[in-house]
């Protein structure tokens, strides 16, 4: 769940903050886990395992699971859960013909600079007949939030604020093409609107995920910047009772290595 491209390296991951503000991410990962249909005799790679909250469910089903993530803090949290996990870049996997399945939830959209690289690495890591099943942000995901972040940066004098957008949110057509180009046979590629309640509100979400935007400003301006973004979004993403909902869209896919 925690990856970032070199161009967005200002996204920093803190396992405690993530657990407090983004525990809904693994909690909402059950549908893609159901799509994987893991078996107890399988060796499975969890690509972008984060703190291991969802990985635990794979382990509980009896599968032999390996987790990788590029955040040392997240991997430390996963190791505390007893998960076989290590720090590794999804664009430079060391595995070859080793796994029956590769699973990924909410990680691949953080690899903006070269989205084909992790797909190619997964293809090499899988055995013949192996499955690649995952979910990432899809086209138009957090569109309103992104517009508010960019517009507020521009008002504060940041030039080319749109270049700060750290995410790759593909259409279903785009991702299917990438899967086929790597050698996969896609079984399903779906774009799924999923408005998502935010348990700690918009500010908690921004504190967790908007680091690349905040990094454009001096430290003393960042708190005010996030407050301004939150106020801008309140009329459309916060209801009369003060409950916040993020405008999420997910891309869920399953593919086979022939």
């Amino acid at each position: 769940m925690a990856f970032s491209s070199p161009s967005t390296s200002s996204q920093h991951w803190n396992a405690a903050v993530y657990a407090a503000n983004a525990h809904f991410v693994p909690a909402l990962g059950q549908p893609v886990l159901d799509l994987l249909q893991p078996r107890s005799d399988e060796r499975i790679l969890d690509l972008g395992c984060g703190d291991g909250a969802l990985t635990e469910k794979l382990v509980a089903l009896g599968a032999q699971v390996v987790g990788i993530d590029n955040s040392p803090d997240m991997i430390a949290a996963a190791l505390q859960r007893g998960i076989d996990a290590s720090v590794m870049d999804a664009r430079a996997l060391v595995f070859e013909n080793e796994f029956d399945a590769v699973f990924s939830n909410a990680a691949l959209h953080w690899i903006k600079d070269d989205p084909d690289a992790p797909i190619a690495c997964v293809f090499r890591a899988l055995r013949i007949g192996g499955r690649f099943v995952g979910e990432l942000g899809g086209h138009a995901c957090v569109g309103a939030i992104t517009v508010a972040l960019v517009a507020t940066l521009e008002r504060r004098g940041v030039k080319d604020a749109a270049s700060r957008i750290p995410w790759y949110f593909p259409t279903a057509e785009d991702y299917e093409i990438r899967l086929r180009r790597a050698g996969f046979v896609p079984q399903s590629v779906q774009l799924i609107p999923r408005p998502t309640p935010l348990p700690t509100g918009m500010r908690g979400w921004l504190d967790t995920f908007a680091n690349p935007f905040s990094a454009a400003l001096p430290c003393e301006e960042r708190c005010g910047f996030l407050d301004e973004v939150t106020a801008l979004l309140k009329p459309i993403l916060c209801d009369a009772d003060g409950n916040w909902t993020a405008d999420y869209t997910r891309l869920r896919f399953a593919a086979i290595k022939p």
Side-chain angles (χ1 to χ4, degrees):
M1 297 169 198
F3 280 98
S4 52
S5 303
S7 60
T8 60
S9 57
S10 55
Q11 175 61 37
H12 300 295
W13 297 103
N14 179 293
V17 172
Y18 191 92
N21 294 329
H23 58 270
F24 63 87
V25 176
L28 294 174
Q30 189 61 45
V32 69
L33 198 62
D34 293 341
L35 185 62
L36 178 67
Q37 294 185 319
R39 299 191 302 272
S40 60
D41 61 343
E42 291 187 310
R43 182 167 169 80
I44 299 173
L45 175 66
D46 187 347
L47 183 76
C49 65
D51 63 5
L54 198 52
T55 322
E56 277 187 324
K57 294 187 177 183
L58 286 170
V59 174
L61 292 169
Q64 182 184 355
V65 186
V66 174
I68 68 105
D69 201 288
N70 77 344
S71 166
D73 199 58
M74 288 293 206
I75 288 297
L79 290 171
Q80 288 182 345
R81 295 176 186 266
I83 293 167
D84 179 1
S86 58
V87 177
M88 194 179 300
D89 191 323
R91 295 157 295 186
L93 300 181
V94 299
F95 312 110
E96 190 166 346
N97 302 317
E98 186 172 335
F99 293 97
D100 299 295
V102 175
F103 170 80
S104 184
N105 182 58
L108 291 167
H109 54 250
W110 287 101
I111 305 175
K112 181 182 179 181
D113 63 310
D114 187 4
D116 289 317
I119 300 174
C121 284
V122 168
F123 190 85
R124 287 194 299 272
L126 283 168
R127 297 169 178 154
I128 299 297
R131 312 186 306 288
F132 183 22
V133 175
E135 185 175 292
L136 63 153
H139 180 64
C141 187
V142 296
I145 297 172
T146 304
V147 169
L149 284 161
V150 170
T152 304
L153 276 184
E154 289 175 343
R155 279 202 300 271
R156 287 174 171 261
V158 175
K159 296 180 179 179
D160 198 20
S163 68
R164 292 276 171 176
I165 299 171
W167 306 298
Y168 161 65
F169 292 145
T171 63
E173 293 77 11
D174 174 51
Y175 211 72
E176 181 172 347
I177 288 169
R178 293 182 188 276
L179 288 168
R180 291 189 184 279
R181 191 160 58 209
F184 283 104
V185 177
Q187 305 296 293
S188 64
V189 184
Q190 296 177 292
L191 204 60
I192 304 167
R194 194 198 69 195
T196 302
L198 301 180
T200 56
M202 181 53 61
R203 186 53 192 271
W205 191 97
L206 294 171
D207 284 338
T208 307
F209 296 116
N211 303 160
F213 299 93
S214 297
L217 299 168
C219 290
E220 63 271 15
E221 292 185 27
R222 294 175 185 176
C223 185
F225 163 66
L226 296 182
D227 286 343
E228 191 176 342
V229 172
T230 302
L232 188 60
L233 288 167
K234 189 172 182 178
I236 55 170
L237 296 183
C238 185
D239 67 19
D241 296 321
N243 300 307
W244 285 86
T245 301
D247 52 331
Y248 272 48
T249 303
R250 313 312 285 168
L251 187 141
R252 190 177 301 156
F253 66 90
I256 302 291
K257 178 178 178 177

